[in-house]
Amino acid sequence: MRASLIQIAVDPDESVEARRQRAASLVGAQRGSDLVVLPELWPVGAFAYTVFEEEAEPLQGPTHEVMAKAAAEAGVWLHAGSFVERAPDGTLYNTTLVFAPDGGRSAVYRKIHRFGFDKGEAVMMGAGEELVTVALPQTTLGLATCYDLRFPEQFRGLVDAGAETLVVAAGWPERRRAHWTLLAQARAVENQAYVLAVGTAGTHADIPQAGHSIVVDPWGEVLAEAGSDEEILTVEFDPAKVGATREQFPALKDRRLGLAPPS
């Protein structure tokens, strides 16, 4: 399976519409990949809280339209990162869209864990409530966004729901880059799953971004890692390795805590 992680730079001098079109062009250039992944809140920047309200859009707004078309034109499964969604009741969400190769929408995930403590996303946005998986022909994706990476129970829930490849779209800051790499490897090892984690490059809202998108296999081995600048990280991996790893080293079968009670 071939995946391309688009580590797009968020430049405050580039308009949202211009970046939307540029992202679509980058997706279109990945024809031949099975899966393409964009990072968190790439239209506006994950830390650009002051424009969230202004740039919020409905679920089927311009980002949905442009990304659906890009997926269809490239003939790829597209995890379109996330954008600021305004729900019909006015609530803002950090929302991920996944499109099939025909451009049809396959999944919507609203970020569960909101970052910021008592400011920013944590107080401006609603929290998602549902774990989301997406069945591709080759593997089943489990969806997570940035700060979610710090909450292992979410990933264990995704694995229980059938996930074999955990996809994390992020806008992770440079100052905590060591945590980014450590947690991506930890989530892969403890769940015996692939982790595809893609972040943004550049600086937005005066916050330098970590970049360093990363692909980790079920044993925790780093298959590929980007640098800090805008980059497209493409890697080929074997989804069958997940089942083989879980059979060879069946740690998930030895779980004693967090299991659903017998019916």
Side-chain angles (χ1 to χ4, degrees):
M1 183 172 178
R2 182 181 176 95
S4 293
L5 281 58
I6 300 179
Q7 183 172 285
I8 195 167
V10 178
D11 182 346
D13 294 327
E14 181 182 39
S15 72
V16 170
E17 178 56 27
R19 187 157 48 252
R20 200 179 278 130
Q21 294 301 324
R22 188 164 66 84
S25 179
L26 292 171
V27 171
Q30 307 316 307
R31 178 174 287 276
S33 289
D34 300 294
L35 172 67
V36 177
V37 187
L38 283 160
E40 179 189 29
L41 295 177
W42 56 267
V44 296
F47 288 89
Y49 307 134
T50 58
V51 301
F52 282 4
E53 186 73 32
E54 176 186 351
E55 297 293 348
E57 54 188 285
L59 186 67
Q60 292 186 264
T63 296
H64 186 293
E65 179 182 358
V66 170
M67 291 293 102
K69 183 178 179 182
E73 290 182 348
V76 298
W77 285 90
L78 175 60
H79 179 305
S82 71
F83 70 102
V84 182
E85 176 201 356
R86 188 188 306 280
D89 66 0
T91 303
L92 303 186
Y93 292 97
N94 187 338
T95 299
T96 288
L97 303 171
V98 179
F99 297 96
D102 64 359
R105 191 178 74 220
S106 293
V108 176
Y109 167 65
R110 288 171 167 171
K111 185 178 180 182
I112 292 172
H113 300 96
R114 298 160 297 167
F115 179 72
F117 308 109
D118 59 350
K119 60 183 180 181
E121 180 185 49
V123 296
M124 295 180 68
M125 291 182 158
E129 298 180 350
E130 296 182 3
L131 297 176
V132 178
T133 61
V134 187
L136 274 59
Q138 307 95 325
T139 188
T140 296
L141 308 181
L143 308 186
T145 304
C146 203
Y147 193 43
D148 288 336
L149 190 61
R150 293 185 178 273
F151 299 88
E153 60 273 20
Q154 177 169 343
F155 291 82
R156 189 50 54 87
L158 290 168
V159 168
D160 285 345
E164 299 167 320
T165 299
L166 303 166
V167 183
V168 184
W172 201 276
E174 167 60 30
R175 62 177 173 264
R176 289 188 290 276
R177 179 162 65 86
H179 292 184
W180 166 253
T181 304
L182 175 66
L183 292 168
Q185 291 182 271
R187 298 295 86 88
V189 171
E190 70 193 7
N191 293 296
Q192 300 182 305
Y194 284 100
V195 169
L196 278 57
V198 56
T200 49
T203 297
H204 48 85
D206 298 321
I207 305 293
Q209 295 299 286
H212 286 266
S213 299
I214 191 169
V215 177
V216 188
D217 81 358
W219 284 102
E221 180 181 353
V222 176
L223 301 184
E225 184 174 358
S228 58
D229 297 328
E230 180 163 305
E231 182 178 342
I232 296 175
L233 185 68
T234 298
V235 63
E236 293 189 1
F237 63 98
D238 181 7
K241 189 172 185 178
V242 173
T245 300
R246 292 174 180 178
E247 183 176 349
Q248 180 181 355
F249 193 82
L252 292 174
K253 294 181 180 179
D254 288 333
R255 292 168 58 195
R256 300 287 294 169
L257 302 176
L259 298 173
S263 56

mmCIF file of all heavy atoms in Angstrom, residues 244-261:
data_model
loop_
_atom_site.group_PDB
_atom_site.id
_atom_site.type_symbol
_atom_site.label_atom_id
_atom_site.label_comp_id
_atom_site.label_asym_id
_atom_site.label_seq_id
_atom_site.Cartn_x
_atom_site.Cartn_y
_atom_site.Cartn_z
ATOM 1 N N ALA A 244 0.130 -10.206 11.124
ATOM 2 C CA ALA A 244 1.274 -11.072 11.397
ATOM 3 C C ALA A 244 1.916 -10.716 12.732
ATOM 4 O O ALA A 244 2.295 -11.613 13.512
ATOM 5 C CB ALA A 244 2.289 -10.955 10.266
ATOM 6 N N THR A 245 2.028 -9.422 13.024
ATOM 7 C CA THR A 245 2.621 -8.986 14.289
ATOM 8 C C THR A 245 1.753 -9.397 15.468
ATOM 9 O O THR A 245 2.252 -9.887 16.485
ATOM 10 C CB THR A 245 2.804 -7.455 14.280
ATOM 11 O OG1 THR A 245 3.655 -7.095 13.198
ATOM 12 C CG2 THR A 245 3.412 -6.964 15.583
ATOM 13 N N ARG A 246 0.458 -9.218 15.333
ATOM 14 C CA ARG A 246 -0.457 -9.570 16.423
ATOM 15 C C ARG A 246 -0.503 -11.071 16.658
ATOM 16 O O ARG A 246 -0.748 -11.518 17.786
ATOM 17 C CB ARG A 246 -1.854 -9.020 16.113
ATOM 18 C CG ARG A 246 -1.915 -7.494 16.148
ATOM 19 C CD ARG A 246 -3.265 -6.959 15.710
ATOM 20 N NE ARG A 246 -3.295 -5.488 15.743
ATOM 21 C CZ ARG A 246 -4.325 -4.750 15.374
ATOM 22 N NH1 ARG A 246 -5.435 -5.331 14.923
ATOM 23 N NH2 ARG A 246 -4.253 -3.431 15.430
ATOM 24 N N GLU A 247 -0.241 -11.847 15.628
ATOM 25 C CA GLU A 247 -0.196 -13.300 15.788
ATOM 26 C C GLU A 247 1.142 -13.748 16.373
ATOM 27 O O GLU A 247 1.200 -14.616 17.235
ATOM 28 C CB GLU A 247 -0.413 -13.970 14.433
ATOM 29 C CG GLU A 247 -0.451 -15.486 14.508
ATOM 30 C CD GLU A 247 -0.770 -16.129 13.169
ATOM 31 O OE1 GLU A 247 -1.169 -15.393 12.238
ATOM 32 O OE2 GLU A 247 -0.620 -17.350 13.048
ATOM 33 N N GLN A 248 2.206 -13.130 15.909
ATOM 34 C CA GLN A 248 3.545 -13.505 16.364
ATOM 35 C C GLN A 248 3.784 -13.115 17.817
ATOM 36 O O GLN A 248 4.454 -13.830 18.570
ATOM 37 C CB GLN A 248 4.594 -12.828 15.471
ATOM 38 C CG GLN A 248 6.039 -13.138 15.832
ATOM 39 C CD GLN A 248 7.013 -12.414 14.922
ATOM 40 O OE1 GLN A 248 6.615 -11.758 13.956
ATOM 41 N NE2 GLN A 248 8.300 -12.531 15.224
ATOM 42 N N PHE A 249 3.240 -11.964 18.213
ATOM 43 C CA PHE A 249 3.428 -11.452 19.572
ATOM 44 C C PHE A 249 2.066 -11.004 20.084
ATOM 45 O O PHE A 249 1.731 -9.822 20.052
ATOM 46 C CB PHE A 249 4.416 -10.274 19.546
ATOM 47 C CG PHE A 249 4.931 -9.861 20.893
ATOM 48 C CD1 PHE A 249 5.983 -10.530 21.492
ATOM 49 C CD2 PHE A 249 4.363 -8.783 21.567
ATOM 50 C CE1 PHE A 249 6.463 -10.139 22.748
ATOM 51 C CE2 PHE A 249 4.831 -8.387 22.819
ATOM 52 C CZ PHE A 249 5.887 -9.062 23.406
ATOM 53 N N PRO A 250 1.235 -11.950 20.546
ATOM 54 C CA PRO A 250 -0.194 -11.659 20.801
ATOM 55 C C PRO A 250 -0.471 -10.933 22.112
ATOM 56 O O PRO A 250 -1.284 -11.362 22.929
ATOM 57 C CB PRO A 250 -0.811 -13.057 20.778
ATOM 58 C CG PRO A 250 0.278 -13.962 21.253
ATOM 59 C CD PRO A 250 1.559 -13.379 20.714
ATOM 60 N N ALA A 251 0.170 -9.794 22.303
ATOM 61 C CA ALA A 251 0.006 -9.047 23.548
ATOM 62 C C ALA A 251 -1.418 -8.539 23.747
ATOM 63 O O ALA A 251 -1.910 -8.477 24.882
ATOM 64 C CB ALA A 251 0.980 -7.866 23.571
ATOM 65 N N LEU A 252 -2.093 -8.182 22.652
ATOM 66 C CA LEU A 252 -3.453 -7.646 22.795
ATOM 67 C C LEU A 252 -4.409 -8.672 23.395
ATOM 68 O O LEU A 252 -5.390 -8.303 24.049
ATOM 69 C CB LEU A 252 -3.974 -7.169 21.438
ATOM 70 C CG LEU A 252 -3.278 -5.940 20.843
ATOM 71 C CD1 LEU A 252 -3.802 -5.663 19.440
ATOM 72 C CD2 LEU A 252 -3.435 -4.726 21.731
ATOM 73 N N LYS A 253 -4.098 -9.944 23.225
ATOM 74 C CA LYS A 253 -4.952 -10.993 23.784
ATOM 75 C C LYS A 253 -4.801 -11.110 25.298
ATOM 76 O O LYS A 253 -5.635 -11.737 25.959
ATOM 77 C CB LYS A 253 -4.638 -12.333 23.125
ATOM 78 C CG LYS A 253 -4.992 -12.403 21.650
ATOM 79 C CD LYS A 253 -4.674 -13.774 21.079
ATOM 80 C CE LYS A 253 -5.023 -13.852 19.598
ATOM 81 N NZ LYS A 253 -4.686 -15.188 19.021
ATOM 82 N N ASP A 254 -3.735 -10.541 25.848
ATOM 83 C CA ASP A 254 -3.466 -10.646 27.286
ATOM 84 C C ASP A 254 -4.012 -9.472 28.089
ATOM 85 O O ASP A 254 -3.742 -9.341 29.283
ATOM 86 C CB ASP A 254 -1.956 -10.773 27.516
ATOM 87 C CG ASP A 254 -1.417 -12.116 27.095
ATOM 88 O OD1 ASP A 254 -2.190 -13.100 27.115
ATOM 89 O OD2 ASP A 254 -0.219 -12.195 26.752
ATOM 90 N N ARG A 255 -4.788 -8.625 27.463
ATOM 91 C CA ARG A 255 -5.359 -7.492 28.169
ATOM 92 C C ARG A 255 -6.273 -7.951 29.303
ATOM 93 O O ARG A 255 -7.055 -8.885 29.158
ATOM 94 C CB ARG A 255 -6.165 -6.613 27.200
ATOM 95 C CG ARG A 255 -5.310 -5.902 26.172
ATOM 96 C CD ARG A 255 -6.179 -5.308 25.082
ATOM 97 N NE ARG A 255 -7.157 -4.378 25.620
ATOM 98 C CZ ARG A 255 -8.230 -3.928 24.959
ATOM 99 N NH1 ARG A 255 -8.444 -4.360 23.721
ATOM 100 N NH2 ARG A 255 -9.055 -3.077 25.507
ATOM 101 N N ARG A 256 -6.176 -7.238 30.438
ATOM 102 C CA ARG A 256 -7.027 -7.551 31.589
ATOM 103 C C ARG A 256 -7.907 -6.365 31.994
ATOM 104 O O ARG A 256 -8.911 -6.543 32.665
ATOM 105 C CB ARG A 256 -6.140 -7.926 32.792
ATOM 106 C CG ARG A 256 -5.238 -9.132 32.563
ATOM 107 C CD ARG A 256 -6.005 -10.429 32.559
ATOM 108 N NE ARG A 256 -6.553 -10.694 33.888
ATOM 109 C CZ ARG A 256 -7.446 -11.658 34.154
ATOM 110 N NH1 ARG A 256 -7.911 -12.404 33.159
ATOM 111 N NH2 ARG A 256 -7.881 -11.848 35.374
ATOM 112 N N LEU A 257 -7.520 -5.169 31.605
ATOM 113 C CA LEU A 257 -8.248 -3.966 31.998
ATOM 114 C C LEU A 257 -8.843 -3.287 30.769
ATOM 115 O O LEU A 257 -8.316 -3.380 29.671
ATOM 116 C CB LEU A 257 -7.306 -2.989 32.705
ATOM 117 C CG LEU A 257 -6.601 -3.531 33.946
ATOM 118 C CD1 LEU A 257 -5.620 -2.488 34.485
ATOM 119 C CD2 LEU A 257 -7.614 -3.897 35.022
ATOM 120 N N GLY A 258 -9.952 -2.606 30.969
ATOM 121 C CA GLY A 258 -10.565 -1.845 29.897
ATOM 122 C C GLY A 258 -11.357 -2.671 28.919
ATOM 123 O O GLY A 258 -11.764 -2.172 27.885
ATOM 124 N N LEU A 259 -11.586 -3.935 29.238
ATOM 125 C CA LEU A 259 -12.354 -4.790 28.359
ATOM 126 C C LEU A 259 -13.842 -4.667 28.668
ATOM 127 O O LEU A 259 -14.235 -4.488 29.816
ATOM 128 C CB LEU A 259 -11.924 -6.255 28.510
ATOM 129 C CG LEU A 259 -10.467 -6.581 28.148
ATOM 130 C CD1 LEU A 259 -10.148 -8.021 28.516
ATOM 131 C CD2 LEU A 259 -10.239 -6.349 26.666
ATOM 132 N N ALA A 260 -14.649 -4.789 27.640
ATOM 133 C CA ALA A 260 -16.106 -4.772 27.845
ATOM 134 C C ALA A 260 -16.508 -6.012 28.629
ATOM 135 O O ALA A 260 -15.987 -7.109 28.398
ATOM 136 C CB ALA A 260 -16.812 -4.735 26.505
ATOM 137 N N PRO A 261 -17.424 -5.880 29.603
ATOM 138 C CA PRO A 261 -17.858 -7.050 30.380
ATOM 139 C C PRO A 261 -18.600 -8.042 29.483
ATOM 140 O O PRO A 261 -19.215 -7.643 28.499
ATOM 141 C CB PRO A 261 -18.786 -6.450 31.435
ATOM 142 C CG PRO A 261 -19.261 -5.161 30.838
ATOM 143 C CD PRO A 261 -18.125 -4.658 30.009
#
